[in-house]
Amino acid sequence: MTRRLRTFIAVDPGEPVRDRLVALQDVLARSAQGVKWVGPENLHVTLLFLGEVGDRDVPALCQAVADVCAAQEAFALEVKGVGTFGPPNRPRTVWAGLGAGQAELVALHDALELPLMELGCYRREARRYEPHVTLGRAKGDGDNEMLATALTRHANWKGGEEEVSEVEVLSSELQPQGPLYVVLSRAKLSRAGRRKRAEEDE
């Protein structure tokens, strides 16, 4: 019997950046009401959400991701700024934004779409891809003026920079305490361009 896995593809922000993201969550939580904050181990930048994928299709999926990533160069990703989907005083989602590396993430997302659509495990979304790190999700639609003020105060927050050298394929299993993410595979990005530039600088 085929088991179906709730699957997505993401980038890990790295431990130093994650620690700063958690510290930011702690600060915002003092002003927020009714927000469920993402656990530290689950903070990431989603590239594509695939939904339910049969376990027999996972090897082909992971290979397709590996093939795409091998043709993409590693890059630096800067995490900075905060914002919301929905009005700041009634947000649906609270997120941390990105600086340098956004264009590379979008290019990686775009490169992954076609081969995964051909595999039949992904359907292109109508909305434009906007890379970010989800910090928390609102549990209700109550007014949250204190959170809006805190977000304004931290608009120029900086989380630091980390090199993105691999992409993860993960499954998500919903549990009472929150989703449990399991890494199904890691796909390495190319370092050829970086090596060449380093040699030219010597």
Side-chain angles (χ1 to χ4, degrees), residues 169-188:
V169 180
L170 303 106
S171 66
S172 172
E173 183 179 332
L174 298 178
Q175 298 188 339
Q177 67 272 27
L180 173 66
Y181 295 163
V182 176
V183 178
L184 303 176
S185 73
R186 291 184 172 90
K188 297 293 184 182

Side-chain angles (χ1 to χ4, degrees), residues 12-31:
D12 186 325
E15 190 171 345
V17 173
R18 182 182 293 106
D19 289 345
R20 296 186 192 104
L21 287 166
V22 172
L24 175 63
Q25 287 177 313
D26 291 342
V27 170
L28 296 177
R30 295 175 204 150
S31 304

Side-chain angles (χ1 to χ4, degrees), residues 2-8 48-58 61 116 119-123 170-174 184:
T2 300
R3 182 180 168 222
R4 302 195 69 78
L5 304 173
R6 184 179 170 86
T7 308
F8 65 100
L48 299 97
F49 177 72
L50 307 182
E52 302 288 331
V53 175
D55 56 1
R56 287 184 293 190
D57 297 324
V58 168
L61 161 63
L116 298 187
L119 278 177
C121 60
Y122 174 72
R123 188 173 359 182
L170 303 106
S171 66
S172 172
E173 183 179 332
L174 298 178
L184 303 176

Side-chain angles (χ1 to χ4, degrees), residues 102-186:
Q102 279 195 78
E104 288 86 347
L105 278 174
V106 172
L108 192 50
H109 165 275
D110 293 349
L112 285 164
E113 277 195 319
L114 185 57
L116 298 187
M117 288 170 64
E118 290 175 345
L119 278 177
C121 60
Y122 174 72
R123 188 173 359 182
R124 180 174 285 147
E125 296 187 22
R127 61 186 177 184
R128 184 170 61 91
Y129 173 60
E130 296 183 36
H132 61 276
V133 181
T134 296
L135 298 175
R137 297 177 178 86
K139 295 187 286 187
D141 59 357
D143 204 10
N144 219 329
E145 290 293 346
M146 288 180 64
L147 174 60
T149 301
L151 289 168
T152 300
R153 193 181 307 127
H154 291 86
N156 296 319
W157 171 85
K158 297 186 184 301
E161 192 174 284
E162 186 76 11
E163 183 182 59
V164 177
S165 59
E166 66 179 21
V167 168
E168 296 178 340
V169 180
L170 303 106
S171 66
S172 172
E173 183 179 332
L174 298 178
Q175 298 188 339
Q177 67 272 27
L180 173 66
Y181 295 163
V182 176
V183 178
L184 303 176
S185 73
R186 291 184 172 90

